[in-house]
């Protein structure tokens, strides 16, 4: 099968003679190409014409300044200072210099700036010390660059990711110092003598964005370097650590000193709540002298176990809740009225045991329950509890009659609940004292038996 194709005709190429081309060229305007040079830029600066220097000339000048300095050593510093002076009012030039200066200090493998320009930075810095890019570059120049970057992030109240988002248009965020300074967050925080609540919140934001290995390292450093006083003033920090590290596999990734310190912090926060409750009761309620003395002795006794408090739940009768108001933080609930004598109740979690402390009224005992799911659900999970309901749970019980502290300490130790390491041993009671205790203990036993019977009948 034959096909016919039409061939498009092309226009003929115009014929030009050499004389015509020469004539055409002679009619074109003169064009001069300006070749960039460092000297040209410096001359414009000296003449006060820096605003006429093109961007291309500036870029060439910055690039070639290091080589120019080698040939003009005696003028290198003075001319670089002049360039920085121009950058104070030239935002485009300022950006070019700061970008390269960040690379100069932040990535030593990429030398993109003359040493004289780097060393003359202070000429510019003195005029714009409030700018964030300046503060970051000043940190780069420090011996402890990571610590200084952490300080800046803290002052700005931003974590690593947020800081990089702020400066990503001003500085090269891929340089190694930006990725490494997160490891200096915890060491920097431990240098703050009295951190504020905002600084603690900043720290927790930084911890939350760390990798697992970075966070473990940071938490270990915090626990072994932050004082107990700081921890006691910032329950937010302790609560975060308790939630993330007290239970589960992270607990076993901490060092032994860190685990011990976390126990102390958690216990200290909870004991502070207990102590505050006792003090409020003493100050706000109209108590008999013997009741006040009893509360003071319990406050002082449990101070010896402050490192052991895992959790604390406070139950208040209506009258105490009205008198105390909302001055107690933490887990505080209303104690259901079941006709029992008025008393406040504290439930302590000691790890393997729950300790229930009745403050006042007849009986006024301490009860000990093994930590299992049933007891935990009742003692820490149920919203309404009453004195009789708790007594019906049974458990081991201990009195608060004469010399109770000595015997209660032994009773707790037999269950593995030991006092703080620095607690002084109890004095051995005399024979007359033991006899007095025995007489009073018999009366208490009869009283508590009656109260337990009454509770069972009620429930």
């Amino acid at each position: 099968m034959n096909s016919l194709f039409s061939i498009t005709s092309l226009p003929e190429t115009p014929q030009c003679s050499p004389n015509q081309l020469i004539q055409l060229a002679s009619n074109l305007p003169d064009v001069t190409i300006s070749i960039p040079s460092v000297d040209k830029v410096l001359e414009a600066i000296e003449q006060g014409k820096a605003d006429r220097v093109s961007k291309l000339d500036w870029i060439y000048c910055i690039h070639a300044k290091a080589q120019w300095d080698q040939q003009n050593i005696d003028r290198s510093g003075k001319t670089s200072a002049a360039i920085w002076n121009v950058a104070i009012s030239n935002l485009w030039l300022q950006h070019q210099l700061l970008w390269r200066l960040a690379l100069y200090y932040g990535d030593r493998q990429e030398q993109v700036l003359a040493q004289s320009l780097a060393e003359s930075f202070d000429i510019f810095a003195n005029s714009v010390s409030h700018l964030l890019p300046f503060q970051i570059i000043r940190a780069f120049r420090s011996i402890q660059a990571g610590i200084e970057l952490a300080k800046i992030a803290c002052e700005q109240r931003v974590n690593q990711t947020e800081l990089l988002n702020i400066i990503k248009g001003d500085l090269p965020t891929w340089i190694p110092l930006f990725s490494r300074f997160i490891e200096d967050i915890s060491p920097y925080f431990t240098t703050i003598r009295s951190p504020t609540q905002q600084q603690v919140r900043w720290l927790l934001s930084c911890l939350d964005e760390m990798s697992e290995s970075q966070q473990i390292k940071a938490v270990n450093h915090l626990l072994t370097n932050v004082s107990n006083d700081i921890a006691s003033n910032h329950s937010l920090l302790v609560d975060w650590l308790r939630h993330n590290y007290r239970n589960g596999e992270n607990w076993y990734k901490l060092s032994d000193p860190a685990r011990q310190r976390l126990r102390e912090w958690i216990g200290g926060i909870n004991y502070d709540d207990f102590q505050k409750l006792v003090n409020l009761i003493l100050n706000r309620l109209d108590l008999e002298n013997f009741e006040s003395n009893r509360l003071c002795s319990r406050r002082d006794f449990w101070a010896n176990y402050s490192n052991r408090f895992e959790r604390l739940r406070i139950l208040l009768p209506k009258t105490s809740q009205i008198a105390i108001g909302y001055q107690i933080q933490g887990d505080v609930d209303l104690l259901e009225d079941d006709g029992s004598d008025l008393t406040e109740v504290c439930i302590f979690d000691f790890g393997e045991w729950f300790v229930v402390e009745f403050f006042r009224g007849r009986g006024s005992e301490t009860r000990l329950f093994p930590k299992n799911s049933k007891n935990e659900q009742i003692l820490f999970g149920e919203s309404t509890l009453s004195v009789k309901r708790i007594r019906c749970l049974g458990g081991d019980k201990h009195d608060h009659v004469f010399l109770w502290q000595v015997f209660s300490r032994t009773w707790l130790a037999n269950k593995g609940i030991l006092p703080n390491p620095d607690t002084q041993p109890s004095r051995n009671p005399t024979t007359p004292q033991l006899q007095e205790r025995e007489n009073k203990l018999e009366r208490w036993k009869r009283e508590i038996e009656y109260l337990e019977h009454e509770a069972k009948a009620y429930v």
Side-chain angles (χ1 to χ4, degrees), residues 381-401:
E382 295 192 9
S383 58
T384 57
L385 280 175
S386 70
V387 170
K388 291 178 179 176
R389 176 87 188 277
I390 295 172
R391 282 185 172 139
C392 275
L393 295 176
D396 290 346
K397 51 188 175 290
H398 202 282
D399 64 278
H400 286 99
V401 301

Side-chain angles (χ1 to χ4, degrees), residues 382-433:
E382 295 192 9
S383 58
T384 57
L385 280 175
S386 70
V387 170
K388 291 178 179 176
R389 176 87 188 277
I390 295 172
R391 282 185 172 139
C392 275
L393 295 176
D396 290 346
K397 51 188 175 290
H398 202 282
D399 64 278
H400 286 99
V401 301
F402 185 58
L403 295 179
W404 68 269
Q405 294 95 326
V406 177
F407 292 88
S408 184
R409 183 167 173 171
T410 303
W411 176 65
L412 292 171
N414 289 336
K415 302 295 185 180
I417 302 175
L418 303 176
N420 300 339
D422 56 350
T423 304
Q424 297 298 316
S426 303
R427 292 182 178 181
N428 292 326
T430 63
T431 301
Q433 287 177 326

Side-chain angles (χ1 to χ4, degrees), residues 266-282:
I266 293 171
I269 289 291
N270 288 325
Y271 175 76
D272 285 346
D273 286 341
F274 169 75
Q275 178 177 247
K276 185 176 181 180
L277 171 63
V278 173
N279 292 339
L280 283 170
I281 292 171
L282 291 170

Side-chain angles (χ1 to χ4, degrees), residues 81-93:
I83 292 173
W84 277 113
N85 273 319
V86 174
I88 293 174
S89 56
N90 186 325
L91 295 182
W92 179 87
L93 177 60

Side-chain angles (χ1 to χ4, degrees), residues 359-372:
F359 280 23
R360 299 185 284 151
R362 290 172 298 164
S364 189
E365 74 273 24
T366 300
R367 288 184 180 266
L368 194 62
F369 300 93
K371 187 173 183 179
N372 55 44

Side-chain angles (χ1 to χ4, degrees), residues 271 274-275 278-279 293-305 404-405 423:
Y271 175 76
F274 169 75
Q275 178 177 247
V278 173
N279 292 339
N293 292 335
R294 182 182 292 173
L295 285 176
C296 288
S297 65
R298 296 190 193 185
R299 177 193 61 198
D300 297 341
F301 175 80
W302 289 113
N304 296 324
Y305 294 83
W404 68 269
Q405 294 95 326
T423 304

